[in-house]
């Protein structure tokens, strides 16, 4: 079927959009495997596959991942089998990934993807959201905020390489746009 890849800067609402697409719009959500500990509201097998460093290393050594990323919070990877099963289903699949991950996926995979980049209404929104997140989301210092803002700016510079760019002001409206784009892409095939 189809793989919809969602990217965007920190705090833009990628996870919220992916969750809404899977719960309310019939998309198949592909989960990332991660070594970071779950947050209070997260559940293994629903939000992520939470694994130990040892299991992650074993999966990586066995080339089980199609894409791997690492940051200060932990390591993340999308298992080949999860992506292949997702795109073989009769409904569109969705995942959220960094721009680096998106480019790797496009380069090293034959899977047909639609890249959607979510933009904040303004860059200052990112800083406000980062400050409100606090330590539970890896924001431990002013330096962390500065680094995340710099990384967010770098991510936004790569938006031009995506199929679609959406300013995410309203989650439901963003999801409707995505559904429309996927319908349009499927109609072209």
């Amino acid at each position: 079927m189809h793989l919809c890849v969602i990217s965007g800067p920190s705090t833009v609402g990628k996870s919220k959009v992916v969750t809404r697409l899977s719960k309310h719009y019939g998309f198949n959500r592909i989960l990332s495997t991660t070594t970071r500990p779950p947050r209070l509201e997260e559940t293994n097998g629903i939000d992520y596959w939470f694994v130990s460093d040892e299991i992650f290393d074993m999966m990586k050594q066995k080339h089980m991942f199609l894409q791997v990323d690492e940051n200060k919070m932990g390591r993340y990877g999308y298992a080949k089998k999860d992506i292949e099963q997702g795109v073989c289903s009769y409904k569109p699949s969705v995942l959220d990934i960094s721009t680096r991950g998106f480019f790797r996926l496009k380069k090293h995979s034959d899977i047909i993807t639609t890249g959607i980049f979510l933009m904040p209404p303004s860059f200052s929104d990112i800083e406000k959201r980062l400050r409100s997140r606090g330590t539970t989301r890896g924001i431990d210092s002013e330096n962390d905020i500065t680094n995340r803002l710099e990384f967010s700016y770098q991510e936004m510079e790569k938006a031009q390489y995506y199929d679609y760019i959406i300013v995410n002001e309203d989650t439901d409206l963003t999801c409707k746009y995505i559904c429309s784009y996927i319908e349009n892409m499927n109609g072209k095939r």
Side-chain angles (χ1 to χ4, degrees), residues 8-11 71-73 100 123 126-127 130-131 133 137-156 158:
S10 190
T11 74
N71 64 39
K72 86 169 207 161
M73 298 289 288
R100 183 174 53 218
F123 195 74
I126 295 172
E127 184 173 0
L130 283 171
R131 290 189 184 286
R133 280 189 168 184
R137 292 290 195 80
I139 310 295
D140 298 322
S141 68
E142 195 62 33
N143 192 41
D144 289 339
I145 290 174
T146 301
N147 289 340
R148 290 269 192 112
L149 287 171
E150 187 177 309
F151 183 71
S152 292
Y153 184 77
Q154 292 168 0
E155 291 278 280
M156 289 167 57
K158 297 170 187 145

Side-chain angles (χ1 to χ4, degrees), residues 3-173:
L3 180 61
C4 178
V5 177
I6 309 284
S7 298
S10 190
T11 74
V12 78
K14 297 178 295 289
S15 295
K16 195 172 185 180
V17 167
V18 168
T19 299
R20 186 76 49 93
L21 285 169
S22 66
K23 286 185 176 178
H24 300 287
Y25 293 89
F27 279 63
N28 177 41
R29 180 180 186 175
I30 299 174
L31 299 181
S32 177
T33 301
T34 185
T35 60
R36 77 160 174 77
R39 297 177 185 128
L40 289 176
E41 72 278 4
E42 293 176 330
T43 305
N44 189 45
I46 294 175
D47 300 293
Y48 289 90
W49 298 113
F50 295 101
V51 299
S52 66
D53 283 316
E54 294 78 21
I55 290 174
F56 195 94
D57 288 339
M58 181 270 306
M59 292 175 75
K60 193 173 175 183
Q61 287 170 355
K62 290 185 176 187
H63 305 285
M64 296 172 75
F65 292 118
L66 194 56
Q67 184 277 331
V68 173
D69 242 334
E70 191 169 337
N71 64 39
K72 86 169 207 161
M73 298 289 288
R75 296 183 292 165
Y76 299 81
Y78 281 99
K80 290 178 188 176
K81 72 169 182 62
D82 291 344
I83 292 175
E84 289 166 357
Q85 286 173 352
V87 296
C88 287
S89 71
Y90 291 101
K91 55 186 181 176
S93 294
V94 63
L95 57 84
D96 70 280
I97 201 167
S98 68
T99 55
R100 183 174 53 218
F102 173 67
F103 295 132
R104 282 189 203 136
L105 193 62
K106 294 267 294 183
K107 183 177 181 181
H108 300 293
S109 172
D110 296 332
I111 296 169
I112 298 167
T113 62
T114 297
I116 297 175
F117 195 91
L118 301 182
M119 286 287 221
S122 72
F123 195 74
S124 64
D125 286 345
I126 295 172
E127 184 173 0
K128 287 179 204 163
R129 291 175 187 167
L130 283 171
R131 290 189 184 286
S132 71
R133 280 189 168 184
T135 57
T136 60
R137 292 290 195 80
I139 310 295
D140 298 322
S141 68
E142 195 62 33
N143 192 41
D144 289 339
I145 290 174
T146 301
N147 289 340
R148 290 269 192 112
L149 287 171
E150 187 177 309
F151 183 71
S152 292
Y153 184 77
Q154 292 168 0
E155 291 278 280
M156 289 167 57
E157 287 181 325
K158 297 170 187 145
Q160 64 184 321
Y161 300 107
Y162 282 70
D163 299 298
Y164 300 100
I165 299 171
I166 301 172
V167 175
N168 186 27
E169 293 183 84
D170 176 271
T171 303
D172 281 321
L173 189 56

